[in-house]
Amino acid sequence: DRHPEPQYEPDPSKKTLVVLGTGWASVALLKKLDTENYNVIVVSPRNYFLFTPLLPSCTTGTVEHRSIMEPIRAILRHKKAAVKFYEAEASSIDPDRKVLKIVDNSEVKGATSETEIPYDMLVIGVGAENATFGIPGVREHSCFLKEIGDAQRIRKKIMDCVETAAFKGQTSEEIDRLMHMVVVGGGPTGVEFAGELQDFFEEDIKKLVPEISPRFKVTLIEALPNVLPSFSKQLIDYTENTLREEKIDIKTKTMVKNVTNETVEAEVAHPDGTKERVIIPYGLLVWATGNAVRPIVKDLMSKITAQKDSRRGLAVNEYLVVQGARDIWAIGDCAVAGYAPTAQVASQEGSFLGRLFNNMAKTENHEARIQELSSKMNLEAGNSAEVAQEIEALERKLRKVKDIKPFRYSHQGSLAYIGSEKAVADVSWWNGNLATGGSLTYLFWRSAYLSMCFSTRNRVLVILDWLKSKAFGRDVSRE
Ligand code: FAD
Ligand code: NAD
């Protein structure tokens, strides 16, 4: 149905609810929220939702980037009451005046590119940025893997390295450097990307550029003694063995300290306690060392006394209210609620808050109606029995909606792709845990991610991409 988006007309009798971000947390909230209860405004520099679990597959073209994006306007169009969307970044929040500043940082700017929005209620779902720990050279020389633009940059750079290595008369040393793909961070992002990259090499690059392909090498660097620290020991061992079989060089207990345009400098901790400084030349460097707090969140934290001891983001209570703030909630990677920064947690928090807001609106409506009926009962004594009955029914309903349990995360399990059509899974099974790895787990991984895709459109596109890359090979043209 292609009916036009309904007009957004703010109702002065309703509260203005501003939602920041269009990621896992905010979109889950918007999906659950009954938008008729509030004047809803969404602000995000990204006018789409991104299905991050398949982002590593976009770096090699196994999946095309548009297949995992869903326009926010298409999502909002299906809401009962219209929602306003501004493609902008929130640059500061004033919790006392209850206003926020928004800025259009996109390429095209109009005469107005900065303004203020007042709010009655504010939800912060801005996610996190990439951690660099202040290590010199990281921002200038490496690629991150968080947004669509990052995946596109990596895809382009892999092929640029390969084509430059194949250039006539290229020196042997330079071929080795250019064909060396270094991944820093052995968390799930680094592991999944390394696996995808090795697949790309085995299934496509090897056939297309056979003369230099033996020089292609993937190295995964991790500061801790093993990769995937959040998975069970059995799966860590399985992953490390599989990655080694795939010829990925795993360097654990190796901490990167400095990055230049062609090398990574790292410190290796040896078993005898000594430390060695090593220099590793690279062609492509992907930096995946986890999350850091966004400036907008840091700025707000500095304005709230109760947040002064919080380091990883906005400390929230069990109803996801930002500690020490009035009418501000935080969800997803920017909130510290005691859970890991994952899509699973973010979407459950978003859904919880959507339900909480629906209940809050119902409570207010019931209370207002009870008030109205009580004064009516005082005025018209005639039908007081009927009115009293209605009041009683409403009070029963009110008790029910007011009885909101605090947020509790329900962990469904962890899944990661590790290359060569194998995946690992730590899943809750009946009352226990199941840790599995291999090709069957890979089929499970594919079907689980497919079922989690945002829309049928996304699902169909992803299936077509998988079929296409299997049948014709990945597209290696450098855009
Ligand atoms: P995000 O999804 O990052 O969304 C943040 C939103 O806020 C974005 O729309 C952004 O544009 C917007 N924003 C940023 N700054 C501002 C601002 N100043 N004002 C307004 N809006 C702003 N988790 C899993 O559970 N399973 C997985 O398989 C998995 N795979 C992953 C793979 C990769 C490559 C990556 C990077 C992450 C993966 N994760 C996975 C983690 C998961 O993506 C995050 O935990 C999740 O995205 C957090 O959701 P969020 O809504 O808090 O943030
Ligand atoms: P992460 O925080 O999980 O891992 C980062 C790794 O980088 C750590 O193991 C850390 O020891 C290492 N590191 C940090 N500094 C280093 C340095 N200087 N040199 C070498 N190694 C260094 O980060 P991530 O993998 O980006 O994941 C972020 C979040 O997203 C996590 O919560 C993760 O669970 C989630 N995620 C989940 C999946 C999945 O479930 N399949 C996929 C991707 C991300």
Side-chain angles (χ1 to χ4, degrees), residues 53 56 132-133 135 145 184-192 221-224 226-231 254-257 287-291 333 340-343 414-417 445 449:
T132 66
F133 307 103
I135 297 170
L145 183 49
V184 182
T189 304
V191 166
E192 289 194 322
I221 302 180
E222 167 57 52
L224 297 174
N226 51 260
V227 300
L228 292 186
S230 59
F231 282 66
T254 305
M255 184 178 274
V256 173
K257 297 277 184 178
W287 194 265
T289 63
N291 292 347
D333 283 3
T342 65
S414 308
L415 266 173
Y417 180 60
W445 173 85
Y449 279 15

Side-chain angles (χ1 to χ4, degrees), residues 202-241:
E202 288 294 336
E203 291 162 19
D204 298 290
I205 298 178
K206 231 175 173 175
K207 287 183 213 146
L208 298 169
V209 208
E211 65 280 13
I212 52 162
S213 68
R215 320 282 278 271
F216 188 89
K217 187 175 146 195
V218 178
T219 299
L220 180 62
I221 302 180
E222 167 57 52
L224 297 174
N226 51 260
V227 300
L228 292 186
S230 59
F231 282 66
S232 60
K233 170 86 177 75
Q234 177 196 348
L235 290 184
I236 290 173
D237 292 344
Y238 179 80
T239 304
E240 290 188 349
N241 290 337

